[in-house]
Amino acid sequence: MAALKGDPDRQHAKADRDSLQRVMRDFEDLVLRFETGLLRSLDDHRPDHSARRRDDVRQHACRLAIAELGDKYTRRQIRRSLTAAENMGRRVEQQLHDAGTPAFDDDLRAIHHGYFRLYSTELFDMLGQPTDLRLGTVRFHHVHAHAHTHSSARSSGTPDADADDDADDAPDNRPVSVELALGHQFFVADSLETMPFHSFKLPHQPSLQNRGILSRKPDDAGAFPTYDSWLLFTFLGNGCLKLEIPIEMCADVYGGPLRGRENEEVHFWGVFVDDDAP
Protein backbone atom coordinates (compact mmCIF):
# COMPACT_ATOMS: atom_id res chain seq x y z
CA MET A 1 0.00 0.00 0.00
CA ALA A 2 2.89 2.33 0.72
CA ALA A 3 4.08 1.84 -2.84
CA LEU A 4 0.65 2.68 -4.18
CA LYS A 5 0.55 5.93 -2.23
CA GLY A 6 3.76 7.02 -3.89
CA ASP A 7 2.66 5.99 -7.38
CA PRO A 8 3.36 9.02 -9.63
CA ASP A 9 0.54 8.02 -12.00
CA ARG A 10 -1.96 8.18 -9.14
CA GLN A 11 -0.57 11.53 -8.03
CA HIS A 12 -0.87 12.95 -11.55
CA ALA A 13 -4.41 11.61 -11.88
CA LYS A 14 -5.39 13.24 -8.58
CA ALA A 15 -3.82 16.53 -9.67
CA ASP A 16 -5.73 16.38 -12.96
CA ARG A 17 -9.01 15.73 -11.13
CA ASP A 18 -8.37 18.61 -8.75
CA SER A 19 -7.55 20.90 -11.66
CA LEU A 20 -10.69 19.88 -13.56
CA GLN A 21 -12.86 20.40 -10.48
CA ARG A 22 -11.35 23.85 -9.99
CA VAL A 23 -12.08 24.78 -13.61
CA MET A 24 -15.66 23.55 -13.33
CA ARG A 25 -16.20 25.55 -10.13
CA ASP A 26 -14.83 28.65 -11.83
CA PHE A 27 -17.10 28.02 -14.81
CA GLU A 28 -20.24 27.59 -12.71
CA ASP A 29 -19.45 30.71 -10.69
CA LEU A 30 -19.01 32.74 -13.87
CA VAL A 31 -22.22 31.38 -15.42
CA LEU A 32 -24.17 32.28 -12.28
CA ARG A 33 -22.69 35.77 -12.21
CA PHE A 34 -23.43 36.47 -15.88
CA GLU A 35 -26.87 34.86 -15.72
CA THR A 36 -27.89 36.92 -12.70
CA GLY A 37 -26.67 40.13 -14.29
CA LEU A 38 -28.39 39.45 -17.62
CA LEU A 39 -31.71 38.55 -16.01
CA ARG A 40 -31.64 41.63 -13.82
CA SER A 41 -30.88 43.84 -16.81
CA LEU A 42 -33.65 42.29 -18.92
CA ASP A 43 -36.22 42.46 -16.12
CA ASP A 44 -35.52 46.17 -15.72
CA HIS A 45 -36.66 46.70 -19.31
CA ARG A 46 -39.26 43.99 -19.90
CA PRO A 47 -40.13 41.48 -17.16
CA ASP A 48 -40.45 37.96 -18.56
CA HIS A 49 -40.07 34.86 -16.41
CA SER A 50 -40.73 32.30 -19.13
CA ALA A 51 -38.63 29.14 -19.36
CA ARG A 52 -37.57 30.06 -22.90
CA ARG A 53 -36.08 33.35 -21.77
CA ARG A 54 -34.22 31.66 -18.93
CA ASP A 55 -32.82 29.07 -21.36
CA ASP A 56 -31.69 31.78 -23.77
CA VAL A 57 -30.08 33.74 -20.94
CA ARG A 58 -28.42 30.59 -19.62
CA GLN A 59 -26.89 29.81 -23.02
CA HIS A 60 -25.64 33.36 -23.41
CA ALA A 61 -24.19 33.28 -19.89
CA CYS A 62 -22.38 30.02 -20.73
CA ARG A 63 -20.83 31.57 -23.84
CA LEU A 64 -19.67 34.58 -21.85
CA ALA A 65 -18.27 32.33 -19.12
CA ILE A 66 -16.33 30.24 -21.64
CA ALA A 67 -14.81 33.38 -23.15
CA GLU A 68 -13.95 34.78 -19.72
CA LEU A 69 -12.46 31.50 -18.58
CA GLY A 70 -10.43 31.23 -21.77
CA ASP A 71 -8.97 34.70 -21.21
CA LYS A 72 -8.22 33.88 -17.59
CA TYR A 73 -6.27 30.74 -18.39
CA THR A 74 -4.58 32.39 -21.37
CA ARG A 75 -3.35 35.15 -19.06
CA ARG A 76 -2.12 32.50 -16.66
CA GLN A 77 -0.17 30.75 -19.42
CA ILE A 78 1.29 34.04 -20.65
CA ARG A 79 2.40 35.00 -17.15
CA ARG A 80 3.93 31.56 -16.62
CA SER A 81 5.95 31.92 -19.83
CA LEU A 82 7.07 35.47 -19.01
CA THR A 83 7.99 34.54 -15.44
CA ALA A 84 10.05 31.53 -16.56
CA ALA A 85 12.13 33.70 -18.90
CA GLU A 86 12.58 36.43 -16.30
CA ASN A 87 13.60 33.94 -13.62
CA MET A 88 16.28 32.59 -15.93
CA GLY A 89 17.62 36.10 -16.49
CA ARG A 90 17.51 36.93 -12.79
CA ARG A 91 19.40 33.74 -11.92
CA VAL A 92 22.15 34.61 -14.39
CA GLU A 93 22.25 38.17 -13.02
CA GLN A 94 22.54 36.89 -9.45
CA GLN A 95 25.30 34.46 -10.44
CA LEU A 96 27.15 37.38 -12.00
CA HIS A 97 26.73 39.35 -8.77
CA ASP A 98 28.04 36.44 -6.73
CA ALA A 99 30.95 35.63 -9.04
CA GLY A 100 32.53 39.07 -8.77
CA THR A 101 34.88 38.45 -11.70
CA PRO A 102 32.89 37.21 -14.69
CA ALA A 103 34.20 34.42 -16.88
CA PHE A 104 34.72 34.73 -20.62
CA ASP A 105 31.52 33.89 -22.49
CA ASP A 106 31.63 32.67 -26.10
CA ASP A 107 27.94 33.57 -26.45
CA LEU A 108 28.85 37.26 -26.50
CA ARG A 109 31.17 36.78 -29.47
CA ALA A 110 28.33 35.14 -31.40
CA ILE A 111 25.74 37.71 -30.39
CA HIS A 112 25.28 38.94 -33.96
CA HIS A 113 24.40 35.43 -35.20
CA GLY A 114 20.94 35.55 -33.68
CA TYR A 115 18.50 37.73 -31.80
CA PHE A 116 17.06 38.14 -28.31
CA ARG A 117 13.38 37.44 -27.68
CA LEU A 118 12.04 39.92 -25.12
CA TYR A 119 9.87 39.18 -22.08
CA SER A 120 8.35 41.55 -19.51
CA THR A 121 5.85 40.74 -16.77
CA GLU A 122 6.15 44.41 -15.80
CA LEU A 123 4.72 45.60 -19.12
CA PHE A 124 2.14 42.80 -19.10
CA ASP A 125 0.80 44.00 -15.75
CA MET A 126 0.99 47.71 -16.63
CA LEU A 127 -1.23 47.12 -19.66
CA GLY A 128 -3.80 45.12 -17.69
CA GLN A 129 -2.59 41.66 -18.78
CA PRO A 130 -3.86 41.72 -22.38
CA THR A 131 -4.06 38.31 -24.02
CA ASP A 132 -2.95 39.73 -27.38
CA LEU A 133 0.19 41.44 -26.07
CA ARG A 134 3.00 41.51 -28.61
CA LEU A 135 6.41 42.06 -27.03
CA GLY A 136 9.39 42.03 -29.36
CA THR A 137 12.95 41.15 -30.29
CA VAL A 138 16.31 42.86 -30.43
CA ARG A 139 19.18 42.13 -32.80
CA PHE A 140 22.76 43.44 -32.86
CA HIS A 141 24.94 44.00 -35.92
CA HIS A 142 28.61 44.84 -36.21
CA VAL A 143 29.24 47.91 -38.35
CA HIS A 144 32.41 47.79 -40.44
CA ALA A 145 33.07 51.50 -40.13
CA HIS A 146 36.71 51.23 -41.25
CA ALA A 147 36.23 48.83 -44.12
CA HIS A 148 36.62 51.55 -46.73
CA THR A 149 39.71 52.87 -44.92
CA HIS A 150 41.38 49.46 -45.01
CA SER A 151 40.46 49.02 -48.65
CA SER A 152 41.99 52.39 -49.55
CA ALA A 153 45.12 51.61 -47.59
CA ARG A 154 45.62 48.30 -49.39
CA SER A 155 45.03 49.80 -52.84
CA SER A 156 47.55 52.57 -52.16
CA GLY A 157 50.12 50.17 -50.79
CA THR A 158 49.92 51.63 -47.28
CA PRO A 159 50.77 49.03 -44.61
CA ASP A 160 47.65 47.70 -42.89
CA ALA A 161 48.75 45.70 -39.88
CA ASP A 162 46.98 42.45 -39.06
CA ALA A 163 46.98 43.58 -35.46
CA ASP A 164 44.77 46.52 -36.40
CA ASP A 165 42.34 44.17 -38.15
CA ASP A 166 42.25 41.95 -35.09
CA ALA A 167 41.53 44.95 -32.88
CA ASP A 168 38.67 46.01 -35.14
CA ASP A 169 37.25 42.48 -35.02
CA ALA A 170 37.15 42.45 -31.21
CA PRO A 171 33.50 42.56 -30.03
CA ASP A 172 33.94 45.64 -27.85
CA ASN A 173 35.97 47.64 -30.39
CA ARG A 174 33.65 47.61 -33.38
CA PRO A 175 30.74 50.00 -33.94
CA VAL A 176 27.34 48.43 -33.34
CA SER A 177 23.87 48.89 -34.77
CA VAL A 178 20.72 47.69 -33.05
CA GLU A 179 17.33 46.68 -34.42
CA LEU A 180 14.46 46.66 -31.92
CA ALA A 181 11.02 45.34 -32.81
CA LEU A 182 8.57 46.41 -30.11
CA GLY A 183 4.90 45.66 -30.47
CA HIS A 184 4.04 46.62 -34.04
CA GLN A 185 6.75 49.27 -34.29
CA PHE A 186 10.40 49.20 -35.25
CA PHE A 187 13.37 51.15 -33.89
CA VAL A 188 17.00 51.33 -34.92
CA ALA A 189 20.14 52.58 -33.21
CA ASP A 190 23.68 53.09 -34.42
CA SER A 191 26.63 53.68 -32.12
CA LEU A 192 28.27 55.89 -34.77
CA GLU A 193 25.41 58.41 -34.53
CA THR A 194 26.36 59.52 -31.03
CA MET A 195 30.13 59.47 -31.48
CA PRO A 196 32.34 61.01 -30.19
CA PHE A 197 30.11 62.20 -27.34
CA HIS A 198 28.87 58.75 -26.37
CA SER A 199 30.07 55.27 -27.28
CA PHE A 200 28.21 51.97 -27.20
CA LYS A 201 30.24 48.77 -27.39
CA LEU A 202 29.51 45.09 -26.97
CA PRO A 203 31.49 43.57 -24.09
CA HIS A 204 33.99 40.71 -24.25
CA GLN A 205 32.51 39.15 -21.14
CA PRO A 206 29.33 39.33 -19.04
CA SER A 207 28.98 42.57 -17.15
CA LEU A 208 26.58 44.29 -14.76
CA GLN A 209 27.39 47.63 -16.39
CA ASN A 210 24.54 49.37 -18.22
CA ARG A 211 25.34 50.26 -21.81
CA GLY A 212 23.12 52.88 -23.42
CA ILE A 213 22.37 53.65 -27.04
CA LEU A 214 20.00 56.24 -28.53
CA SER A 215 17.27 54.82 -30.78
CA ARG A 216 14.89 56.23 -33.37
CA LYS A 217 12.27 55.10 -35.87
CA PRO A 218 13.72 54.58 -39.35
CA ASP A 219 10.56 55.94 -40.98
CA ASP A 220 10.88 59.36 -39.27
CA ALA A 221 13.37 60.70 -41.82
CA GLY A 222 16.26 59.91 -39.49
CA ALA A 223 15.01 62.20 -36.71
CA PHE A 224 15.18 61.15 -33.08
CA PRO A 225 11.86 61.21 -31.21
CA THR A 226 11.02 64.06 -28.85
CA TYR A 227 10.65 61.61 -25.96
CA ASP A 228 13.39 59.67 -24.18
CA SER A 229 14.52 56.82 -26.46
CA TRP A 230 17.72 55.66 -24.77
CA LEU A 231 17.95 51.87 -24.56
CA LEU A 232 19.95 50.53 -21.60
CA PHE A 233 21.39 47.05 -22.05
CA THR A 234 23.02 44.80 -19.46
CA PHE A 235 24.79 41.85 -21.08
CA LEU A 236 24.52 39.08 -18.49
CA GLY A 237 25.96 36.25 -20.57
CA ASN A 238 24.65 32.69 -20.86
CA GLY A 239 22.26 33.86 -23.55
CA CYS A 240 20.57 36.48 -21.36
CA LEU A 241 20.39 40.25 -21.24
CA LYS A 242 18.38 42.88 -19.42
CA LEU A 243 16.92 45.83 -21.32
CA GLU A 244 15.46 49.00 -19.83
CA ILE A 245 13.17 50.95 -22.16
CA PRO A 246 11.82 54.42 -21.25
CA ILE A 247 8.13 54.33 -20.43
CA GLU A 248 7.52 57.22 -22.86
CA MET A 249 8.82 54.99 -25.63
CA CYS A 250 6.58 52.12 -24.51
CA ALA A 251 3.64 54.54 -24.36
CA ASP A 252 4.25 55.49 -27.99
CA VAL A 253 4.04 51.80 -28.92
CA TYR A 254 1.30 50.49 -26.61
CA GLY A 255 -0.59 53.61 -25.49
CA GLY A 256 -3.32 53.00 -22.92
CA PRO A 257 -2.40 53.47 -19.25
CA LEU A 258 1.23 54.21 -20.13
CA ARG A 259 0.40 57.60 -21.66
CA GLY A 260 1.41 60.61 -19.60
CA ARG A 261 3.98 58.74 -17.51
CA GLU A 262 7.64 59.71 -17.64
CA ASN A 263 11.00 59.31 -15.89
CA GLU A 264 10.45 55.56 -15.57
CA GLU A 265 11.90 52.52 -17.28
CA VAL A 266 10.14 49.31 -18.20
CA HIS A 267 12.30 46.24 -17.65
CA PHE A 268 12.59 43.53 -20.26
CA TRP A 269 14.58 40.31 -20.18
CA GLY A 270 16.06 38.91 -23.37
CA VAL A 271 16.75 35.27 -24.19
CA PHE A 272 19.07 34.55 -27.10
CA VAL A 273 17.82 32.61 -30.12
CA ASP A 274 20.44 31.43 -32.60
CA ASP A 275 19.66 32.02 -36.26
CA ASP A 276 20.47 28.36 -36.94
CA ALA A 277 18.20 27.08 -34.16
CA PRO A 278 15.50 24.67 -35.41
Side-chain angles (χ1 to χ4, degrees):
M1 292 299 292
L4 289 176
K5 288 182 180 179
D7 186 352
D9 290 338
R10 284 175 173 263
Q11 293 174 358
H12 292 158
K14 183 179 184 303
D16 290 342
R17 285 197 302 271
D18 291 344
S19 178
L20 180 59
Q21 290 172 358
R22 185 165 55 251
V23 171
M24 292 307 299
R25 283 197 302 270
D26 289 346
F27 176 72
E28 291 297 337
D29 289 344
L30 285 170
V31 170
L32 179 60
R33 191 183 80 194
F34 284 126
E35 188 175 16
T36 301
L38 288 169
L39 286 172
R40 184 179 296 118
S41 178
L42 290 171
D43 285 344
D44 287 343
H45 292 85
R46 185 189 303 172
D48 181 356
H49 302 288
S50 66
R52 181 174 180 178
R53 166 176 271 194
R54 292 194 65 88
D55 287 343
D56 289 343
V57 168
R58 175 76 178 181
Q59 290 178 12
H60 189 47
C62 287
R63 287 194 293 270
L64 291 174
I66 290 171
E68 177 79 11
L69 205 58
D71 284 347
K72 175 182 177 181
Y73 281 91
T74 298
R75 290 189 185 96
R76 186 175 296 176
Q77 290 298 323
I78 292 173
R79 171 165 283 285
R80 188 174 299 166
S81 174
L82 296 176
T83 300
E86 290 196 6
N87 286 344
M88 181 169 65
R90 291 182 190 279
R91 281 196 301 270
V92 174
E93 184 180 37
Q94 187 59 50
Q95 290 169 3
L96 196 53
H97 269 292
D98 296 341
T101 303
F104 181 83
D105 191 339
D106 280 335
D107 288 343
L108 291 176
R109 299 188 71 89
I111 203 171
H112 55 287
H113 293 306
Y115 63 93
F116 287 86
R117 183 174 289 124
L118 299 177
Y119 301 83
S120 177
T121 57
E122 192 173 317
L123 181 66
F124 183 56
D125 290 339
M126 283 180 171
L127 294 174
Q129 300 187 349
T131 56
D132 59 348
L133 177 62
R134 182 171 180 171
L135 290 170
T137 60
V138 63
R139 182 184 287 269
F140 299 91
H141 299 279
H142 285 310
V143 179
H144 296 276
H146 305 300
H148 66 283
T149 304
H150 290 173
S151 177
S152 299
R154 291 190 184 98
S155 62
S156 63
T158 304
D160 188 16
D162 291 340
D164 291 338
D165 286 338
D166 291 341
D168 285 338
D169 286 340
D172 60 358
N173 286 337
R174 292 163 60 180
V176 179
S177 67
V178 180
E179 295 176 352
L180 170 66
L182 192 62
H184 294 280
Q185 297 194 32
F186 190 67
F187 297 84
V188 295
D190 191 325
S191 62
L192 292 175
E193 293 181 340
T194 54
M195 293 290 286
F197 308 105
H198 176 82
S199 64
F200 176 87
K201 299 176 181 178
L202 296 179
H204 271 304
Q205 59 189 17
S207 171
L208 293 172
Q209 175 188 349
N210 285 337
R211 297 167 187 259
I213 190 168
L214 188 61
S215 66
R216 57 181 173 80
K217 294 180 182 178
D219 54 358
D220 284 348
F224 289 99
T226 56
Y227 52 75
D228 182 5
S229 62
W230 281 94
L231 306 175
L232 295 180
F233 292 95
T234 307
F235 295 93
L236 303 172
N238 290 307
C240 296
L241 62 73
K242 182 165 66 174
L243 170 60
E244 298 172 52
I245 300 180
I247 198 164
E248 301 98 315
M249 192 169 166
C250 292
D252 183 44
V253 175
Y254 297 103
L258 304 185
R259 289 196 178 98
R261 298 174 64 169
E262 56 185 19
N263 299 323
E264 300 178 55
E265 282 75 40
V266 181
H267 295 84
F268 292 76
W269 299 84
V271 177
F272 187 71
V273 179
D274 194 288
D275 283 334
D276 296 327

